[in-house]
């Protein structure tokens, strides 16, 4: 796995890359997929059920097992899933069409994802209690 998808392995660990590749069929077919398809790989049954019943579509499939998504708050899991899918899409294209074993792309993508998660947790993910308005009671 490390030899086939060097950049993807550096970015998202071996297990996620292996599952994505096995679900897509091959590295080239995974490289041809857009980020939105990679995001919901593994959740096709839920996707088509949601489209049929006109309800909410799934936010993540196999990417739910990634450590990035596990360390975020429930509110930010969809955003982080979208970011991770975009970076996985780029990483698979570098692995499939690239010439050498340059890992700088995977390491920089991993750092960018970690920085984005930190930004999301600081700004919107955590409720600031100091700025919350006081409760107003109804008087009768």
């Amino acid at each position: 796995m490390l030899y086939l998808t060097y950049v993807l392995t550096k970015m998202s660990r071996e297990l996620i890359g292996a599952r994505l590749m096995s679900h897509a069929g091959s590295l080239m077919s995974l490289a041809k997929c857009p980020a939105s398809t990679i995001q919901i790989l593994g959740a096709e049954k839920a996707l088509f059920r949601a489209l049929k019943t006109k309800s909410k579509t799934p936010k993540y499939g196999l990417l739910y097992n990634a450590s990035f998504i596990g360390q975020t708050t429930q509110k930010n899991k969809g955003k982080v899933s979208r970011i991770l899918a975009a970076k996985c899409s780029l990483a698979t294209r570098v692995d499939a069409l690239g010439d050498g074993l340059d890992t700088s792309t995977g390491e920089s993508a991993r750092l960018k994802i970690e920085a984005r998660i930190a930004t999301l947790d600081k700004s919107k993910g955590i409720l600031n209690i100091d700025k919350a308005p006081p409760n107003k009671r109804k008087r009768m």
Side-chain angles (χ1 to χ4, degrees):
M1 182 66 200
L2 183 62
Y3 183 72
L4 278 176
T5 60
Y6 206 69
V7 176
L8 184 62
T9 303
K10 281 289 184 182
M11 189 189 68
S12 67
R13 305 290 178 229
E14 287 187 22
L15 190 59
I16 300 299
R19 285 184 180 170
L20 287 173
M21 261 184 50
S22 69
H23 203 79
S26 69
L27 181 60
M28 282 304 292
S29 61
L30 185 62
K32 291 176 186 177
C33 292
S36 59
T37 303
I38 291 176
Q39 183 179 352
I40 58 167
L41 268 178
E44 289 88 3
K45 188 175 180 180
L47 173 70
F48 292 123
R49 183 179 57 234
L51 292 175
K52 183 177 161 184
T53 60
K54 296 181 181 174
S55 60
K56 291 185 179 180
T57 57
K59 294 179 184 176
Y60 25 71
L62 294 172
L63 291 180
Y64 186 75
N65 299 324
S67 62
F68 291 122
I69 296 180
Q71 67 186 355
T72 61
T73 60
Q74 185 65 34
K75 185 177 180 180
N76 294 329
K77 285 186 189 234
K79 292 177 186 178
V80 174
S81 173
R82 209 168 34 249
I83 294 166
L84 183 61
K87 297 297 181 183
C88 282
S89 177
L90 291 174
T92 55
R93 290 173 187 162
V94 168
D95 284 331
L97 306 172
D99 292 334
L101 296 176
D102 184 25
T103 62
S104 63
T105 307
E107 292 168 358
S108 67
R110 185 172 187 78
L111 291 174
K112 286 180 183 178
I113 293 172
E114 289 172 351
R116 182 68 177 139
I117 289 172
T119 305
L120 285 172
D121 285 343
K122 284 181 185 175
S123 63
K124 297 178 185 176
I126 301 170
L127 178 66
N128 192 353
I129 297 174
D130 296 334
K131 294 183 180 179
N135 287 337
K136 294 182 180 179
R137 293 186 196 175
K138 274 189 170 178
R139 298 202 180 205
M140 292 188 195

